[in-house]
Amino acid sequence: MSQPALPISQIAQLLDVPEDALRTLMAERRTASDTTLVALTVTEAARRIGIGRTKLYEYVSSGEIASVKIGSLRRIPAEAVGEFLARRFRASDFDAAA
């Protein structure tokens, strides 16, 4: 039989840390992405690039970013994110932005 979970306030007290700091750390841990993944969901890839899912789906549909279908799932190879950004970087004219 499993033991009941301790409330966050008690855990913070036992660790001698502020409760809000512990809550913040827990929230960050839940949203942290796994950098060891070799294939990302569209949402994960979009988050890494800093764009929305819809825009990333546009890039996938146009072939600008590589993707693969695994069963019914769409995955973006992790290295494809870097390659996509490198192509976009080379294609940009930074002198015009200054």
Side-chain angles (χ1 to χ4, degrees):
M1 190 163 189
S2 66
Q3 294 180 334
L6 287 173
I8 298 295
S9 58
Q10 282 184 304
I11 295 170
Q13 192 174 27
L14 290 169
L15 294 172
D16 195 29
V17 297
E19 184 178 342
D20 59 333
L22 182 58
R23 288 185 185 279
T24 301
L25 179 64
M26 291 172 66
E28 288 171 357
R29 182 69 183 131
R30 274 193 295 267
T31 59
S33 61
D34 183 352
T35 58
T36 63
L37 293 175
V38 295
L40 308 169
T41 65
V42 171
T43 301
E44 290 166 338
R47 189 178 315 120
R48 284 190 182 188
I49 297 171
I51 61 175
R53 279 179 348 116
T54 304
K55 190 64 178 176
L56 189 61
Y57 271 115
E58 288 177 23
Y59 291 137
V60 166
S61 295
S62 69
E64 287 189 63
I65 191 164
S67 71
V68 63
K69 201 85 155 113
I70 303 172
S72 63
L73 306 173
R74 172 73 53 193
R75 293 293 181 258
I76 312 293
E79 65 271 6
V81 173
E83 292 166 2
F84 168 78
L85 290 174
R87 282 193 309 278
R88 301 291 288 197
F89 181 75
R90 285 191 300 270
S92 295
D93 181 9
F94 287 100
D95 293 331

